[in-house]
Amino acid sequence: MTGTVHVVGAGLAGLSAAVRLVEAGRRVIVHEAAKQAGGRCRSYFDPALGLTIDNGNHLLLSGNRDALDFLAAVGAPADALTGPAEAAFPFADLDTGERWTLRPNAGRLPWWVLDARRRVPGSRARDYLAPLGLFRAGGRAATIGESMACEGLLWERLWHPVLLAALNTEPRESDAGLAAAILRETLGAGGRACRPLVAVAGLSAAFVDPALRHLAQRGADIRFGRRLRALDRTGSAVARLDFGDAPETLGPDDAVVLALPAWVAADLIPGLAVPQAHRSIVNAHFAVAPPPGTPLLLGVVGGVTEWLFAYPDRLSVTISGADRLLDVPREDLAQTIWGEVARLTGQEGAPLPRWQIVKEKRATFAATPQEAARRPGARTHLANLALAGDWTATGLPSTIEGAIRSGATAASVVVEDKAALRGAA
């Protein structure tokens, strides 16, 4: 196939699109405004910690097929993602001191709910039927609160923390369809699809660096410091990409994949409907090695901490839907969270180590029915322009899996549309 595809944005959505396109035989140029690739999913050296950290802790599951296929395609290291041999999710309740491990069985038939040793303490097997209401919501613009019971022990100890982490929005007001999609691809697919996976060596080492090497080896041109200022159009197609002093004029066989944040895409394409409301995430990092026996991932209820990640050189906490914490002074947050982490790891009373608090105000779109309805598809009204990003209509909330899936979809649109035009000619 002839023609160049300009991929604007080198986050995971843009890298996914570029990888698919070079595999399809297209010439690809990747333009990225920053000095590095990865977007929200990258690693960097933090001077306050003296460590390399990710700009957000991310959990993947063994059922995230698009993400795993991407890693395989770019030749990522075999140990890029680390996790237990089976689906196992340790939890701790800071209020009561109780600990338990949720252990779904490997197959689709969920017999594990009949075994009290695998369930949340105090829960009954029939309590696990509550999410069926999410699937009955069908195509209606219903919230989780309208579709299932949002109260009781199992809600507080399982469904609320899991759905909040997946949707980054208060679950009661979140879209039931997005919640159903997450459960269908993970817990609903059995324990084989639920094994937790973490990029212990960093997101860049797992996803970004292998992708850049793969693209370079296949002749892709990757250009940093290239901020797109405008899309110049002629008729129903993009004619030129304005990067300031170095514009790119598009030929008749060229195309564009726009893999930028929603608000940037809306500025470049007047009239484009995109999600307007967003939710924040707060991450806390502590430069202390986890004590022996600390689980790789620990779900936490009854405190500010929600998920505790135990990296080899640090303990990191993720708090989703964290708008309430944005105005809390960073020092106060560090003290509060460290107090909880110290209790959870058997270090109660230990002094606050070197720390870093990262507040990401627009981490994801708000996963409400109203905002989900604003998500555009990959195909646009411009014949040679496709969209990618976890905010597009992937069928999933804002996740790594959704971002990578969106890039693959945008690449397919470009290839298929050009093939159709060539066939018609």
Side-chain angles (χ1 to χ4, degrees), residues 169-363:
T169 304
E170 165 54 42
R172 291 176 180 85
E173 67 185 38
S174 296
D175 184 75
L178 291 177
I182 284 286
L183 294 178
R184 185 181 297 112
E185 294 191 14
T186 55
L187 196 58
R192 290 190 187 92
C194 293
R195 190 165 61 88
L197 300 170
V198 178
V200 170
L203 292 167
S204 288
F207 288 92
V208 181
D209 297 341
L212 293 177
R213 286 194 297 268
H214 180 83
L215 291 170
Q217 289 166 0
R218 282 152 183 77
D221 187 359
I222 303 167
R223 304 175 183 177
F224 295 107
R226 300 269 288 170
R227 184 176 300 278
L228 182 61
R229 303 179 184 278
L231 293 169
D232 297 331
R233 284 163 283 179
T234 300
S236 61
V238 177
R240 192 175 76 152
L241 301 175
D242 182 3
F243 291 101
D245 59 354
E248 293 280 351
T249 300
L250 273 63
D253 291 324
D254 295 344
V256 179
V257 172
L258 205 62
L260 298 172
W263 55 91
V264 178
D267 286 342
L268 292 168
I269 309 173
L272 178 67
V274 301
Q276 299 293 317
H278 296 81
R279 295 290 184 268
S280 62
I281 292 177
V282 168
N283 289 281
H285 306 275
F286 302 98
V288 57
T294 304
L296 175 64
L297 175 73
L298 178 67
V300 183
V301 298
V304 176
T305 300
E306 292 175 356
W307 298 93
L308 174 61
F309 292 77
Y311 295 95
D313 56 0
R314 68 191 185 279
L315 291 163
S316 295
V317 165
T318 292
I319 304 166
S320 301
D323 291 4
R324 69 193 185 282
L325 302 177
L326 293 179
D327 293 330
V328 177
R330 297 171 67 253
E331 294 78 6
D332 293 348
L333 267 180
Q335 288 284 359
T336 297
I337 297 170
W338 172 247
E340 295 180 348
V341 170
R343 287 174 56 194
L344 293 166
T345 57
Q347 304 177 83
E348 196 163 2
L352 178 66
R354 295 194 312 277
W355 58 271
Q356 182 60 274
I357 300 289
V358 180
K359 300 179 180 181
E360 191 170 5
K361 294 184 179 181
R362 292 195 286 190

Side-chain angles (χ1 to χ4, degrees), residues 4-21 26-32 228 231 238 241 243 250 254-260 265 268-269 378-380 382-389 391-392 403 405-415:
T4 297
V5 182
H6 297 268
V7 177
V8 185
L12 289 189
L15 292 175
S16 171
V19 168
R20 286 295 186 102
L21 288 163
R26 300 302 298 267
R27 179 173 181 262
V28 172
I29 302 176
V30 179
H31 308 268
E32 168 56 48
L228 182 61
L231 293 169
V238 177
L241 301 175
F243 291 101
L250 273 63
D254 295 344
V256 179
V257 172
L258 205 62
L260 298 172
L268 292 168
I269 309 173
R379 186 172 276 107
T380 71
L382 298 171
N384 59 350
L385 175 67
L387 299 175
W391 53 271
T392 61
R405 185 175 300 181
S406 76
T409 300
S412 296
V413 166
V414 168
V415 172

Side-chain angles (χ1 to χ4, degrees), residues 17-88:
V19 168
R20 286 295 186 102
L21 288 163
V22 296
E23 297 297 334
R26 300 302 298 267
R27 179 173 181 262
V28 172
I29 302 176
V30 179
H31 308 268
E32 168 56 48
K35 296 180 180 179
Q36 67 284 316
R40 289 181 49 240
C41 294
R42 62 179 177 82
S43 309
Y44 66 95
F45 180 78
D46 186 275
L49 291 168
L51 300 172
T52 296
I53 63 173
D54 294 328
N55 62 340
N57 299 312
H58 290 268
L59 173 70
L60 288 97
L61 297 174
S62 51
N64 295 152
R65 294 311 317 171
D66 289 280
L68 296 179
D69 288 347
F70 174 84
L71 293 177
V74 300
D79 60 351
L81 300 179
T82 300
E86 62 174 359

Side-chain angles (χ1 to χ4, degrees), residues 67-231:
L68 296 179
D69 288 347
F70 174 84
L71 293 177
V74 300
D79 60 351
L81 300 179
T82 300
E86 62 174 359
F89 294 87
F91 279 85
D93 188 328
L94 283 167
D95 283 335
T96 67
E98 288 181 273
R99 290 186 179 242
W100 65 92
T101 299
L102 195 76
R103 296 183 183 277
N105 59 283
R108 285 180 175 272
L109 184 66
W111 58 259
W112 65 274
V113 302
L114 302 175
D115 187 344
R117 296 168 299 178
R118 291 175 172 264
R119 299 194 308 252
V120 174
S123 66
R124 302 161 299 179
R126 64 174 178 268
D127 297 337
Y128 293 80
L129 298 175
L132 291 178
L134 302 176
F135 299 97
R136 289 196 292 267
R140 295 186 298 112
T143 65
I144 292 175
E146 295 167 337
S147 305
M148 67 178 283
C150 298
E151 59 185 5
L153 179 143
L154 195 60
W155 171 257
E156 297 298 333
R157 288 189 163 188
L158 177 62
W159 301 126
H160 185 272
V162 166
L163 292 171
L164 177 59
L167 299 161
N168 196 39
T169 304
E170 165 54 42
R172 291 176 180 85
E173 67 185 38
S174 296
D175 184 75
L178 291 177
I182 284 286
L183 294 178
R184 185 181 297 112
E185 294 191 14
T186 55
L187 196 58
R192 290 190 187 92
C194 293
R195 190 165 61 88
L197 300 170
V198 178
V200 170
L203 292 167
S204 288
F207 288 92
V208 181
D209 297 341
L212 293 177
R213 286 194 297 268
H214 180 83
L215 291 170
Q217 289 166 0
R218 282 152 183 77
D221 187 359
I222 303 167
R223 304 175 183 177
F224 295 107
R226 300 269 288 170
R227 184 176 300 278
L228 182 61
R229 303 179 184 278
L231 293 169

